[in-house]
Amino acid sequence: QVQLVESGGGLVQAGGSLRLSCAASTRTFSSYGLGWFRQAPGKEREFVARIGWALGGKDYAASVKGRFTISRDNAKNTVYLQMDSLKPEDTAVYYCAAERRTGPVFTADYWGQGTQVTVSS
């Protein structure tokens, strides 16, 4: 069982930045693919970004490409999401997730509890 704990959410003005962190409780952190998802009120959860376990390949949703950056620190068992040039439509609960096997579509085996990000206009 892997526990994921997000932090770093909060309230920020449009154009501002936030960095989310997600700490994992596993000795095999480096073997997991990691991702960030978000869910806005009344909407389905959507993919934001992912980073692979082997070569650290990254992928982003079109809506955040060029503004968000995903990274990982295997020594700290932590994955990050740097969010710049934030927009009100980025407002959502952000979740980190871990997958054991990497495929074309990120398939989470574990989820964090989520952290709220609110962007004011």
Side-chain angles (χ1 to χ4, degrees):
Q1 187 74 9
V2 176
Q3 291 188 330
L4 302 170
V5 180
E6 301 98 334
S7 61
L11 174 64
V12 64
Q13 288 188 334
S17 298
L18 280 176
R19 188 176 82 154
L20 305 183
S21 301
C22 175
S25 64
T26 173
R27 296 179 182 178
T28 57
F29 178 80
S30 61
S31 68
Y32 286 88
L34 302 165
W36 287 95
F37 290 73
R38 67 187 182 186
Q39 187 167 19
K43 295 186 177 181
E44 293 187 352
R45 189 174 299 188
E46 65 175 0
F47 167 78
V48 174
R50 70 188 296 185
I51 184 167
W53 67 273
L55 301 178
K58 303 175 185 180
D59 191 23
Y60 298 92
S63 59
V64 307
K65 192 171 293 185
R67 300 188 297 121
F68 290 11
T69 303
I70 189 171
S71 61
R72 65 189 296 164
D73 186 337
N74 290 337
K76 295 183 178 180
N77 280 15
T78 301
V79 60
Y80 304 96
L81 186 68
Q82 177 67 41
M83 306 186 294
D84 299 317
S85 302
L86 282 161
K87 304 175 181 179
E89 51 263 44
D90 295 318
T91 295
V93 177
Y94 283 71
Y95 300 88
C96 73
E99 62 175 0
R100 286 174 292 189
R101 290 184 175 84
T102 299
V105 177
F106 191 98
T107 304
D109 294 291
Y110 304 100
W111 291 94
Q113 84 289 350
T115 186
Q116 176 71 46
V117 171
T118 303
V119 184
S120 63
S121 57

